[in-house]
Amino acid sequence: MSAQHNELRVGMVGYAFMGAAHSQAWRTVNRVYDLPLRVRMAAVCGRDESQVAAAADRLGWQSHTTDWRELVARDDIDVIDICTPGDSHAEIAIAALAAGKHVLCEKPLANTVAEAQQMAEAARAAQADGVRSMCGFNYRRVPAVALMRQLVAAGRIGTIRHVRAVYLQDWIVDPDFPLVWRLRKDKAGSGALGDIGAHIIDATQFVTGQRITRLNGLTETFVTERPLPAGSSGLTAAAGGGADGAAPATGAVTVDDAALFMARLDGGAIASYEATRFATGRKNGLRIEINGSLGSVAFDFERMNELEFYDATRPSAEQGFNRIIVTEPEHPYLSAWWPPGHGIGYEHSFTHQARDFVEAVAAGDDPAPSFTDALQVQQVLDAVERSAGLGEWVAVESAFSTAPS
Ligand code: SOE
């Protein structure tokens, strides 16, 4: 970091949905929280010169480039923020860490366990030189989810029996939705499983403090062929296409549309998970419920400023799910925002993520979730795909079973 100016100079690679969310966070974090370092949005990187120049202007970046290697090599950049599709996470993160840059990398960490292992090893090696790294599982930074963890950690629901989590979307229900990168294994690694299933895996492990050890899963691809997007590169048409007005060329969907699995956690809980892009009518329906011996907590992203808490220790005549409005200053992250009852949104979780990252870098701490935490999520994703292929229970290889390096 630029010590003389107490600045943290960020270079971001990628500027689509996640790049826009991260840009909003970098723009606001110092205006909302009193932090020891001031973020400078130094540069944004993208492949197309005119598009990345427009993105720099729209999102508030001071400069732009089309070469991420140039960004990594600059000595006036302290942080590389990776907001690209998963097929480039490993190459960019490993180069950035080797160059002594702190790294924030979007989820899932990588497209394969092997890549995630290389990233986690590179992060551990860089740690010795004070280089910090974090994976961007933003939902753990929704205040109601962080409050869920506080209640569970305080024993308010007792021994955890059940973990129940779904992440439901419907943006590709239309078979004519084009074959975008999230539907290609070579770009995304997996489909709903890694894109949104990773979120509920991380969030439930974060809330419970327990890790998934064994699971039995299935995946499904409902629509196996889709029209190629305009200007597709690197794709071979599966059928059709051509200037004669025939049906647009199509390409094969090579990832899951939906994934379901049941699991055992290392603290004794049993769990069910569902991630799908075919839950017609559910736009971003992330729901988590944890049932314990003394009560339950339940979160629904469609009501993200609320948490339901059932306290079984209350007199039976008073029992029922208590709807906590999570907007009090004592609730996680909320002290910096609005007076009670006003609420916050999806984008605020990214500002909370940026705050935690900046505070950790300033303090010389390692932010969470680490690349090793994210590697463990990747191992769960891999186990679901192995189980789906075998049709049986499989063990989750654990990132934490290896001896600390
Ligand atoms: C698409 O499913 C997506 O943009 C995910 O990639 C994000 O992680 C999620 O927060 C919203 O939906």
Side-chain angles (χ1 to χ4, degrees):
M1 77 194 87
S2 160
Q4 69 270 32
H5 302 300
N6 274 338
E7 277 189 333
L8 201 59
R9 299 158 298 182
V10 180
M12 183 174 77
V13 188
Y15 53 85
F17 178 5
M18 286 301 111
H22 284 225
S23 299
Q24 160 93 9
W26 295 126
R27 283 198 306 270
T28 56
V29 70
N30 286 111
R31 290 165 177 72
V32 174
Y33 293 101
D34 294 325
L35 296 173
L37 293 173
R38 188 159 194 80
V39 167
R40 173 185 290 272
M41 297 172 68
V44 59
C45 177
R47 283 168 301 184
D48 180 282
E49 166 64 31
S50 62
Q51 288 183 23
V52 72
D57 180 54
R58 185 177 72 252
L59 298 175
W61 293 87
Q62 291 174 342
S63 67
H64 65 274
T65 176
T66 56
D67 179 0
W68 64 263
R69 290 175 182 78
E70 175 206 309
L71 210 50
V72 166
R74 280 174 53 172
D75 59 12
D76 63 341
I77 293 286
D78 307 303
V79 176
I80 295 294
D81 181 13
I82 304 172
C83 295
T84 57
D87 65 324
S88 57
H89 288 187
E91 184 181 20
I92 299 171
I94 291 169
L97 290 163
K101 309 302 184 190
H102 306 298
V103 175
L104 171 58
C105 183
E106 259 298 319
K107 44 49 64 182
L109 187 66
N111 282 0
T112 65
V113 168
E115 287 175 344
Q117 279 170 333
Q118 291 166 7
M119 295 169 79
E121 284 157 19
R124 280 195 293 272
Q127 201 177 15
D129 299 323
V131 177
R132 308 299 164 194
S133 47
M134 180 166 98
C135 188
F137 285 106
N138 63 295
Y139 288 105
R140 57 165 66 198
R141 294 182 157 96
V142 170
V145 175
L147 177 61
M148 226 178 184
R149 175 186 167 94
Q150 289 179 349
L151 290 170
V152 170
R156 298 297 303 277
I157 67 169
T159 303
I160 299 172
R161 306 296 188 202
H162 284 281
V163 173
R164 196 171 299 109
V166 299
Y167 198 157
L168 313 173
Q169 293 182 342
D170 71 353
W171 56 280
I172 57 170
V173 164
D174 179 352
D176 292 333
F177 189 93
L179 191 72
V180 294
W181 71 263
R182 279 187 167 88
L183 308 183
R184 293 171 47 187
K185 188 171 186 66
D186 61 317
K187 300 295 285 182
S190 63
L193 174 62
D195 184 28
I196 51 180
H199 276 302
I200 51 180
I201 292 166
D202 174 71
T204 52
Q205 295 188 138
F206 168 70
V207 166
T208 63
Q210 299 189 25
R211 291 194 186 110
I212 296 168
T213 57
R214 292 179 59 71
L215 59 84
N216 193 333
L218 67 86
T219 59
E220 183 60 65
T221 303
F222 298 110
V223 174
T224 57
E225 213 168 290
R226 291 183 178 271
L228 297 185
S232 294
S233 62
L235 278 174
T236 50
D244 58 1
T250 64
V253 174
T254 50
V255 296
D256 59 278
D257 289 331
L260 287 74
F261 65 97
M262 56 185 166
R264 291 190 176 281
L265 280 69
D266 59 8
I270 59 175
S272 63
Y273 292 87
E274 182 179 358
T276 180
R277 292 164 167 162
F278 276 72
T280 311
R282 294 296 178 196
K283 302 307 173 184
N284 200 49
L286 188 161
R287 293 200 291 268
I288 297 172
E289 179 161 322
I290 316 287
N291 304 131
S293 57
L294 300 178
S296 293
V297 281
F299 170 75
D300 181 346
F301 180 73
E302 291 177 355
R303 303 176 69 143
M304 71 173 284
N305 291 285
E306 301 174 15
L307 183 67
E308 290 200 295
F309 172 40
Y310 185 95
D311 180 352
T313 67
R314 296 188 61 77
S316 56
E318 297 172 15
Q319 284 183 357
F321 272 94
N322 174 21
R323 183 166 69 96
I324 303 171
I325 307 296
V326 189
T327 57
E328 298 299 316
E330 60 265 35
H331 286 140
Y333 303 106
L334 262 303
S335 59
W337 294 106
W338 321 122
H342 288 72
I344 61 170
Y346 170 71
E347 76 279 15
H348 294 78
S349 68
F350 290 89
T351 302
H352 303 160
Q353 177 172 270
R355 186 205 77 169
D356 292 348
F357 185 82
V358 172
E359 285 197 334
V361 169
D365 293 336
D366 292 305
S370 68
F371 278 16
T372 301
D373 294 319
L375 165 59
Q376 192 267 341
V377 172
Q378 205 78 41
Q379 287 164 329
V380 175
L381 300 175
D382 176 68
V384 173
E385 292 192 314
R386 284 187 288 117
S387 174
L390 294 168
E392 59 190 48
W393 281 89
V394 299
V396 175
E397 187 189 347
S398 170
F400 296 90
S401 61
T402 52
S405 59

